[in-house]
Amino acid sequence: MTAKTILITGASRGIGRAVAILAAQKGWSVIVNYLHNDVAAQRVVDMVRTLGAKSIKIQGDVAREDDVIRVFREASTLGPLDGVVINAGIVAPPLALVDMTLERLQRMFDVNVLGAYLCAREAARQMIKSRGGNGGSIVLVSSIAAVSGSPNEFIDYAGSKGAIDTLTKGLAKELGPQGVRVNAVRPGLIDTEIHANAGQPDRARRRGLNTPLGRPGCAEEVAEAIIWLLSDLSSYNTGTLLDVTGGV
Ligand code: NAP
């Protein structure tokens, strides 16, 4: 498999971090985007370099257009992008819609939807053949919540991920003729820090017991699916929504 240069949004922790490490094990160059946690991002960069691959970190809020444009511009200094993982995402404490504030809804859709669209746009601008790009693979990180709707908990988050599924389907059709494949993974309950940020650190471990496989997933299991979609092994997949849920 040929070496690639990939940019991962939200790669300082969780699923993005696992993708960075797995990509490094394949010898791919890795650009680590993050929001606040510079120490965690540097640790990922150091680990990637220890594995013999090139890596840089670039801070930037995916919800801000100027940040996204800068992140993609700086990323290209490591080499033309072959792959982009649009992974950065947030969740908020469980609430019914009737109790959600405008501020919560705004930030949820700014990060999870607007952020994904801006990153997908910048990825397309660099990768499409009609603008001099080499083509490549974009993988978006959706959620199985897009199917369940997450009533009384995360209906905002679920809707934001529904938008990711639709973006994946539409953009795959736009970019297929340009040599860029666009796919998404839809994880189920994955044991990362995102649940603590929503005030429920043990959520994945607790709810994971009720899945057909009887446990939550780990970030590395989602990363395997993402790496496959980034790689040439999935060369006839585009517009695919790949569930990684333990059977939910
Ligand atoms: P996580 O452990 O909380 O990590 C989130 C990552 O995103 C961190 O690197 C964080 O950077 C970064 N980030 C957050 N907001 C950002 C922003 N505005 N701009 C740039 N980076 C930002 O989350 P995770 O569980 O790995 O989730 C990754 C993706 O998988 C998300 O899209 C999530 O919705 C999706 N997902 C997760 C699960 C699950 O059960 N874990 C299930 C389905 C889908 P800092 O370290 O700087 O804060």
Side-chain angles (χ1 to χ4, degrees):
M1 203 181 297
T2 47
K4 294 179 186 291
T5 299
I6 65 166
L7 164 64
I8 308 160
T9 69
S12 47
R13 295 182 288 114
I15 293 168
R17 174 182 182 276
V19 176
I21 291 165
L22 199 51
Q25 287 167 350
K26 296 186 179 302
W28 299 355
S29 303
V30 180
I31 297 118
V32 172
N33 160 254
Y34 65 103
L35 180 60
H36 293 309
N37 200 331
D38 185 68
V39 171
Q42 187 59 47
R43 271 199 216 108
V44 177
V45 167
D46 291 345
M47 196 169 304
V48 168
R49 288 178 179 162
T50 302
L51 290 163
K54 289 186 198 159
S55 188
I56 56 172
K57 64 176 160 56
I58 309 176
Q59 190 281 334
D61 183 346
V62 297
R64 293 178 51 107
E65 183 183 33
D66 50 352
D67 278 17
V68 174
I69 289 171
R70 176 180 51 76
V71 166
F72 275 80
R73 190 176 57 240
E74 290 178 16
S76 62
T77 59
L78 208 63
L81 290 177
D82 303 295
V84 174
V85 184
I86 299 173
N87 164 74
I90 56 168
V91 71
L95 279 181
L97 180 62
V98 290
D99 295 319
M100 288 181 191
T101 62
L102 174 63
E103 289 69 26
R104 169 187 170 129
L105 292 168
Q106 192 90 57
R107 186 65 184 162
M108 187 68 60
F109 286 97
D110 279 355
V111 174
N112 289 7
V113 182
L114 183 63
Y117 270 78
L118 290 172
C119 290
R121 185 190 70 186
E122 293 311 304
R125 285 178 173 171
Q126 283 200 23
M127 292 163 77
I128 59 177
K129 292 192 170 166
S130 60
R131 286 181 176 235
N134 297 330
S137 172
I138 297 172
V139 181
L140 294 111
V141 181
S142 173
S143 168
I144 202 63
V147 179
S148 72
S150 300
N152 299 308
E153 284 189 312
F154 312 116
I155 200 170
D156 52 345
Y157 173 82
S160 75
K161 294 301 186 178
I164 298 300
D165 290 2
T166 306
L167 169 61
T168 303
K169 289 289 180 189
L171 196 62
K173 290 173 185 148
E174 277 191 22
L175 300 189
Q178 294 278 353
V180 179
R181 297 184 296 111
V182 183
N183 295 289
V185 293
R186 294 197 297 197
L189 288 157
I190 311 300
D191 196 3
T192 70
E193 291 171 2
I194 202 170
H195 306 289
N197 294 342
Q200 303 185 85
D202 64 339
R203 181 170 188 271
R205 289 185 293 275
R206 195 168 23 86
R207 297 261 188 112
L209 297 175
N210 299 324
T211 64
L213 293 186
R215 63 172 178 84
C218 65
E220 289 72 19
E221 291 173 305
V222 182
E224 289 283 358
I226 293 172
I227 290 286
W228 180 72
L229 289 169
L230 284 172
S231 80
D232 299 338
L233 293 175
S234 62
S235 53
Y236 203 53
N237 282 78
T238 198
T240 306
L241 307 176
L242 177 55
D243 296 349
V244 188
T245 62
V248 171

